């Protein structure tokens, strides 16, 4: 695949690329670009692909299936217009037959463009997978197998398989439909078949109802997957087949028992995530999606909200395999735009097709429990907008009645005129200023009577009321709307103890989704620390790159708030030590509600001895003692009474060992420590796997750390590292989590951040791969195999 990039002017030379590919990540950032898009400019991009079409395909169906092109995709085949798709997150299939020339080389061209159409970093181009599909005239439709399990008990499960059999030929044909179901161990557990007659030029829906004995149920602790191989045969010859993984599980929700999966109550420990994947930009590479879900699961989350876009197929496959629940979200915009050239321009004409595409993609994924019809849609406080929401909701239900519906409604956005009149500061520039206001005014405003009345219809449309920053409604709505089930579809990270406490205590509140689980490009500096030195802008100035509000940073390493959240969730007890970064600027409570303390878990700082430091210790205990080099610095209250944070101020910095000891009923229950790095830092390089698949959807992740002789991370002496890849792979990306960064992730050199950097290596074929990491005179070599 080759790409031409740029806007206007002369045509630049083509560059070979491997799909999926993010065309924006290679553009030069500039202060004149939008901070919402991480100061990356927009652009227009043209992809071309030449491929041979044999004569044998003249009697076949040939199509291209795109999992997503961002944005305003236009597809041409041999110069002829074949298809378009305005929405950047929808999958779509393009029939190629009428444009093809057989027995020779054909050319597909895909145009895409990005221009002030998103409130975050969107990336651009063919950033998701593309599939060439060649079938018989009689074939199974793409995304045409829908598997449901309407009746489940301990003895058996009913498996209903509905299959679209399409006949593009000129003769009516009768074929045999066969479905074979295998269990998690690969054994055949059910089989069914039936004849199907399909008229010429039409599609028949064929159903097979089968029974699986003693089913192994899919849930978050046991992601048991079955596979249905659905095929059609004619005169004992195979015509077409599809292999479809699925799960058997039962969903229930009500205000008394909350959410139940297979009869067991589940509270959603949720993370909102954007679609970019840190140093890879928006390129949706399957291994990166799996790693991201794996890391979020390890950090204590059991659910993600795909905000604010339909998730990629590869992300959902990872969630299926790892037992991660999903809210899959349709749109950030309906008919009222949020940016100058966003999807609102196409919504009226395209929303039904985009909803159909999302449901078709999701139907067989057991991880998907909720569909969300929007995020912070202004129309949700208006009767006409509520009518639009009802159309979306009923459209989804007509396509899939097996899951629940929600909507991320923010009462402040739904009633913006009243909110700005009642609650704004004199210098407020919009709703985000109010939401981030350090006084916490957002939640009380969300509970105002005018919000209650204006959003009542939009909430009534849903199975579960999704509330963004609306915790003040949780208890009052139990009385006002006794049938309402609630989940916090977005909550502030610094309110984690409060939010989760309400989830634990109130049965009609089923979960909490923090903004955000994984840090992301764009909306730069949303969670940065502000200081008392004048008015602060809502977003950070160039070269800020990331939101800086994720539990995990953009390279996947856990930040202090992640360890704090695990304690709040009850998954860990601590103590965990976090040290505020030293600064000469006066600290003040002026940071946004998306901020966490400006801290790192290290006792290696480039400051003079006796510098006064502030230390936070997170613990579920009665009290915590802090000890520096065997000298006690006192005890502080801990646990829920202190929001699980013990604060020690004016700690004199000196090299050595900083310990935290947690006590309950006067008895030590646990301890942890930080040691200062001593001596020179050396490179430590670890590759996540010794063997990777020789496929462009796989990656090897290379963790680069600066460590002392004892293995302590050296966080105060960053330096540039150089990565070279030889053999059957190439360097896909190299970067760090540094939030204010003017380096490219596509370069082979990058500076570490607090002692760490991450490289992603992508296979180009089978064979040995050599990865060389160097810094100054130090060189480390690692070898893996792609095969």
């Amino acid at each position: 695949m080759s790409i031409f990039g740029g806007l206007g002017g002369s045509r630049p030379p083509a560059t070979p690329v491997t799909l999926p590919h993010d065309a924006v990540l290679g553009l030069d950032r500039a202060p004149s670009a939008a901070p919402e898009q991480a100061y990356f400019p927009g652009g227009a991009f043209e992809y071309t692909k030449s491929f041979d079409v044999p004569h044998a395909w003249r009697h076949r169906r040939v199509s291209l299936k795109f999992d997503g092109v961002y944005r305003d995709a236009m597809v041409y085949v041999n110069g002829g217009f074949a298809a378009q798709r305005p929405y950047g997150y929808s999958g779509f299939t393009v029939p190629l037959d009428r444009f093809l020339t057989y027995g020779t080389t054909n050319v597909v061209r895909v145009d895409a463009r990005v221009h002030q159409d998103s409130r975050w970093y969107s990336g651009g181009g063919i950033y998701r997978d593309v599939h060439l599909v060649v079938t018989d005239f009689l074939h199974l439709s793409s995304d045409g197998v829908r598997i449901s399990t309407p009746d489940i008990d301990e003895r058996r499960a009913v498996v209903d398989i509905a299959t679209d059999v399409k006949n593009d030929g000129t003769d009516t044909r009768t074929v045999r439909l066969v479905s074979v179901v295998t269990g998690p161990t690969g054994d055949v557990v059910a089989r069914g078949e039936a004849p199907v007659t399909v008229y010429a030029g039409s599609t028949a829906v064929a159903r097979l109802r089968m029974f699986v004995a003693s089913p192994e149920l899919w849930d978050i602790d046991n992601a048991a997957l079955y596979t249905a191989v659905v095929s059609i045969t004619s005169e004992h010859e195979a015509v077409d087949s599809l292999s479809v993984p699925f799960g058997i599980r039962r969903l229930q929700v009500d205000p008394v028992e909350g959410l139940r999966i297979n009869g067991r109550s589940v509270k959603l420990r949720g993370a909102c995530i954007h679609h970019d994947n840190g140093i890879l930009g928006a390129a949706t590479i399957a291994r990166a999606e799996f790693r991201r879900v794996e890391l979020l699961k390890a950090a204590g989350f059991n659910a993600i909200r795909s905000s604010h876009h339909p998730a990629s197929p590869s992300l959902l496959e990872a969630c299926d395999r790892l037992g991660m629940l999903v809210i899959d979200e349709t749109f950030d915009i309906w008919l009222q735009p949020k940016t100058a050239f966003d999807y609102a321009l196409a919504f009226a004409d395209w929303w039904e097709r985009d909803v159909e595409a999302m449901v078709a993609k999701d139907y067989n994924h057991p991880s998907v429990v909720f569909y969300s019809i929007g995020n912070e849609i202004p129309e949700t406080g208006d009767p006409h907008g509520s009518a639009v929401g009802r159309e979306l909701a009923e459209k989804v239900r007509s396509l899939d009645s097996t899951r629940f519906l929600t909507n991320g409604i923010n009462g402040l956005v739904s009633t913006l005129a009243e909110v700005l009149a009642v609650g704004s500061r004199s210098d407020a520039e919009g709703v985000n200023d109010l939401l981030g206001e350090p006084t916490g005014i957002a939640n009380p405003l969300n509970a105002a009577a005018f919000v209650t009345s204006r959003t009542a219809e939009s909430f009534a449309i849903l199975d579960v009321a999704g509330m963004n920053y609306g915790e003040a409604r949780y208890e009052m709505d139990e009385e006002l709307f006794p049938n309402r089930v609630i989940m916090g579809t977005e909550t502030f990270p610094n309110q984690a103890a409060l939010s989760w406490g309400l989830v634990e205590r109130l049965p009609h509140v089923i979960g909490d989704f923090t903004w955000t689980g994984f840090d992301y490009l764009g909306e730069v500096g949303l969670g940065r620390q502000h200081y008392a030195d004048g008015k602060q802008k809502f977003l950070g100035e160039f070269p800020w790159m990331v939101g800086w509000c994720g539990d995990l940073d953009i390279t996947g390493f856990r930040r202090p708030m992640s360890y704090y959240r695990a304690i709040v969730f009850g998954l860990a007890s601590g103590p965990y030590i976090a040290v505020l970064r030293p600064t000469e600027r006066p600290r003040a409570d002026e940071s946004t509600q998306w901020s966490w303390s400006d801290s790192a878990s290290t006792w290696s700082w480039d400051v003079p001895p006796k510098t006064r430091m502030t230390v936070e210790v997170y613990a579920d205990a009665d009290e915590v003692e802090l000890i520096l080099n065997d000298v006690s610095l006192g005890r502080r209250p801990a646990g829920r009474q202190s929001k699980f944070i013990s604060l020690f101020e004016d700690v004199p910095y000196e090299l050595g060992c900083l310990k935290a000891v947690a006590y309950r009923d006067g008895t030590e229950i646990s301890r942890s420590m930080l040691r200062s790095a001593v001596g020179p830092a050396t490179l430590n390089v670890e590759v996540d796997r010794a063997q990777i698949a020789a496929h462009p959807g796989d990656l090897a992740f290379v963790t680069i750390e600066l460590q002392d002789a004892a293995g302590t991370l050296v966080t105060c002496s960053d330096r540039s590292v150089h990565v070279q890849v030889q053999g059957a792979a190439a360097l896909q990306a190299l970067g760090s989590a540094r939030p204010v960064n003017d380096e490219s992730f596509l370069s082979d050199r990058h500076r570490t951040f607090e002692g760490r950097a991450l490289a992603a290596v992508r296979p180009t074929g089978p064979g040995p791969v050599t990865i060389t990491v160097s810094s100054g005179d130090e060189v480390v070599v690692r070898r893996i195999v792609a095969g």
Side-chain angles (χ1 to χ4, degrees):
M1 176 70 72
S2 297
I3 181 174
F4 300 91
L7 270 175
S10 60
R11 179 171 170 146
T15 302
V17 298
T18 301
L19 301 181
H21 171 256
D22 180 1
V24 171
L25 196 65
L27 301 180
D28 293 331
R29 299 168 68 223
S32 58
E36 289 83 1
Q37 285 88 54
Y39 295 105
F40 282 93
F45 312 103
E46 176 186 298
Y47 292 80
T48 61
K49 172 69 175 180
S50 299
F51 65 108
D52 293 331
V53 178
H55 285 290
W57 286 6
R58 188 182 299 275
H59 305 291
R60 307 281 283 171
R61 278 283 153 263
V62 184
S63 59
L64 279 176
K65 182 180 179 183
F66 294 87
D67 287 346
V69 179
Y70 202 93
R71 219 197 77 163
D72 289 312
M74 303 285 283
V75 182
Y76 302 86
V77 182
N78 294 327
F81 171 73
Q84 72 176 118
R85 197 72 180 212
Y87 197 36
Y89 300 107
S90 286
F92 60 101
T93 298
V94 182
L96 305 183
D97 307 87
R98 60 178 174 165
F99 303 98
L100 296 178
T101 302
Y102 299 94
T104 187
T105 299
N106 290 243
V107 178
V108 172
R109 188 179 98 236
V110 179
D111 292 349
R113 57 203 52 77
V114 181
H115 179 54
Q116 297 180 34
D117 54 25
S118 176
R119 296 189 301 117
W120 55 86
Y121 177 83
S122 64
I126 307 179
Y127 73 107
R128 290 182 177 175
D129 286 316
V130 183
H131 315 269
L132 178 64
V133 182
V134 182
T135 68
D136 191 84
F137 284 150
L138 185 76
H139 58 95
L140 301 174
S141 296
S142 176
D143 292 325
V145 176
R146 297 173 299 281
I147 303 175
S148 60
T149 54
D151 187 0
I152 305 169
D153 60 30
E154 293 180 356
R155 295 179 296 109
R156 89 289 181 268
V158 175
V159 178
D160 185 275
I161 303 179
T163 305
D164 295 340
V165 184
K166 189 172 184 180
N167 185 359
D168 290 328
T170 57
D171 298 322
T172 296
R173 294 177 64 180
T174 299
V175 293
R176 182 159 292 274
L177 178 75
V178 180
S179 294
V180 178
V181 176
T182 56
T185 60
D187 298 329
V188 175
V189 297
R191 180 185 178 91
E193 58 182 275
V196 181
T197 299
V198 192
Y199 290 129
S202 68
T203 300
V205 179
R207 291 185 183 273
L208 287 172
R209 187 176 174 90
M210 295 183 291
F211 302 88
V212 173
S214 304
E216 188 174 350
L217 303 185
W218 186 98
D219 65 21
I220 56 177
D221 299 319
N222 179 39
L225 290 175
Y226 288 74
T227 301
V229 177
V230 181
S231 57
I232 48 177
T233 62
S234 177
E235 298 178 353
H236 306 292
E237 291 188 4
V239 176
D240 197 8
S241 68
L242 290 172
S243 179
V244 182
F246 69 98
I248 299 174
R249 51 107 173 97
R250 182 173 66 254
L251 302 176
Q252 298 166 279
V253 71
D254 64 72
V256 176
E257 301 290 342
L259 174 67
R260 285 179 286 173
I261 300 177
N262 305 323
R264 180 171 66 97
S265 293
V266 175
K267 294 287 191 178
L268 301 175
R269 304 190 301 270
C272 296
I273 59 170
H274 270 319
H275 76 275
D276 74 88
N277 212 314
I279 63 172
L280 297 170
T284 305
I285 301 172
R287 169 58 190 164
E289 295 288 69
F290 188 90
R291 174 180 180 265
R292 179 161 56 151
V293 177
E294 198 172 35
L295 293 171
L296 288 167
K297 184 97 176 185
F301 295 108
N302 63 16
I304 60 174
R305 175 182 176 219
S306 185
S307 44
H308 312 291
H309 63 282
S312 70
S314 53
L315 179 72
L316 298 183
E317 288 165 11
C319 292
D320 290 345
R321 291 170 58 191
L322 293 168
M324 181 73 83
L325 304 176
V326 176
I327 302 174
D328 203 8
E329 198 151 81
T330 51
F331 309 116
D332 187 51
I333 313 102
W334 292 351
L335 292 165
Q336 291 190 25
K338 294 180 179 178
T339 55
F341 300 99
D342 63 24
Y343 178 69
L345 299 171
F347 179 87
D349 294 326
W350 282 89
W351 73 264
E352 284 195 84
R353 282 169 283 185
D354 289 323
V355 166
E356 289 167 356
M358 187 181 84
V359 174
K361 166 181 63 72
D362 291 4
Y363 198 97
N364 299 314
H365 290 285
S367 57
V368 179
V369 177
F370 297 92
Y371 294 118
S372 171
I373 59 173
N375 169 69
E376 297 190 344
I377 304 297
E379 298 99 302
T380 50
D382 175 84
H384 301 291
S386 297
V388 173
R390 180 170 282 105
E391 283 191 78
L392 268 80
E394 294 310 312
K395 177 66 177 182
V396 173
R397 290 184 175 114
S398 72
L399 298 168
D400 184 359
S401 61
T402 69
R403 293 173 168 90
F404 305 123
L405 277 183
T406 190
N407 188 353
I409 295 177
N410 185 330
L412 276 66
V413 176
S414 304
T415 58
L416 188 56
E418 290 96 326
V419 164
L420 290 177
V422 172
S424 72
R425 310 184 316 252
S426 60
D427 60 349
E429 297 178 356
V431 70
N432 280 331
D433 274 335
L434 278 180
L435 281 171
E437 170 63 48
T439 61
I441 196 173
N443 256 310
L445 280 176
N446 249 318
F450 62 83
V451 173
T452 301
S453 60
R454 290 272 300 276
T455 58
E457 183 176 1
S458 286
F459 278 129
I461 292 165
L462 310 171
D463 301 311
V464 175
M467 294 187 181
N468 288 10
Y469 313 109
E471 294 97 319
R473 299 206 63 90
Y474 292 1
E475 292 188 271
M476 61 182 282
D477 279 7
E478 185 176 17
E479 180 177 346
L480 291 175
F481 304 97
N483 295 312
R484 182 176 285 181
V485 182
I486 295 172
M487 62 182 167
T489 36
E490 274 183 39
T491 59
F492 293 118
N494 65 8
Q495 297 293 322
L498 168 66
S499 302
W500 189 250
L502 291 169
V503 173
E504 288 183 309
R505 183 164 55 85
L506 301 173
H508 69 288
V509 181
I510 65 172
D512 175 272
F513 288 77
T514 186
W515 191 266
T516 60
F518 209 100
D519 209 6
Y520 58 96
L521 304 177
E523 287 190 313
V524 297
L526 178 74
R528 71 195 190 282
Q529 189 73 28
H530 287 183
Y531 298 95
D533 56 359
K535 182 182 183 303
Q536 301 290 331
K537 291 185 177 179
F538 175 64
L539 296 179
E541 297 181 348
F542 184 84
W544 267 91
M545 179 176 277
V546 302
W548 201 235
C549 57
D551 277 31
L552 279 66
D553 67 31
I554 61 167
T555 63
F557 292 104
R558 295 175 67 179
R559 298 174 63 205
M561 70 176 71
S562 173
Y563 294 94
Y564 173 78
R565 193 181 307 280
I567 293 169
V568 169
F569 282 158
L571 303 175
S573 60
Y576 179 86
I577 305 171
V579 183
L580 270 62
R581 294 179 177 87
T583 175
E584 296 180 358
R585 303 167 71 187
R587 298 186 186 275
D589 295 330
E590 294 185 1
S591 300
T592 73
Q593 296 292 300
W594 292 282
S595 299
W596 189 250
S597 62
D598 189 20
S599 58
S601 186
T602 179
W603 195 238
S604 298
W605 298 96
D606 186 16
V607 296
K610 304 303 180 182
T611 296
R612 313 310 288 185
M613 309 289 286
T614 299
V615 177
E616 298 175 334
V617 182
Y618 313 144
D620 184 6
D622 294 337
E623 57 183 358
V624 166
E625 181 181 18
L626 193 66
I627 302 170
L628 176 58
N629 293 331
D630 297 323
V631 176
S632 176
L633 302 181
R635 297 188 182 192
R636 300 286 188 275
R640 190 174 297 276
Q641 61 178 333
S642 302
K643 297 182 179 180
F644 303 101
I645 301 175
S646 300
L647 185 65
F648 295 83
E649 297 181 292
D650 294 327
V651 176
Y653 180 72
E654 59 184 55
L655 294 176
C657 179
L658 185 68
K659 297 179 185 177
V661 182
Y663 297 90
R664 183 172 293 132
D665 297 327
T667 302
E668 178 182 334
I669 57 172
S670 56
R671 64 172 54 201
S672 64
M673 68 177 66
L674 297 176
R675 290 189 180 277
S676 302
V678 178
T682 59
L683 285 175
N684 184 71
V685 179
E686 300 290 340
V687 186
D688 62 343
R689 291 172 299 152
Q691 183 164 347
I692 59 176
H695 185 278
D698 205 355
L699 293 167
F701 283 95
V702 184
T703 300
I704 303 165
E705 292 187 341
L706 307 178
Q707 296 181 357
D708 70 3
T712 302
L713 187 68
V714 180
T715 57
C716 58
S717 184
D718 285 311
R719 63 197 198 206
S720 179
V721 295
H722 180 212
V723 177
Q724 294 175 295
V725 179
Q726 296 173 307
L731 181 64
Q732 179 71 21
L734 171 65
S736 75
R738 186 179 304 278
V740 186
N741 195 346
D742 59 2
E743 297 179 281
S744 170
F745 297 141
L746 301 182
S747 171
D748 60 1
R749 296 180 186 273
H750 206 97
R751 188 172 179 81
T752 60
F753 174 62
E754 295 185 341
R756 286 195 180 104
L758 181 74
V761 174
R762 194 174 191 180
T764 56
V769 178
T770 301
I771 303 166
T772 303
V773 181
S774 59
S775 181
D777 295 332
E778 192 174 3
V779 179
V780 177
V781 177
R782 295 288 181 263
R783 292 181 173 86
I784 62 173
V785 174

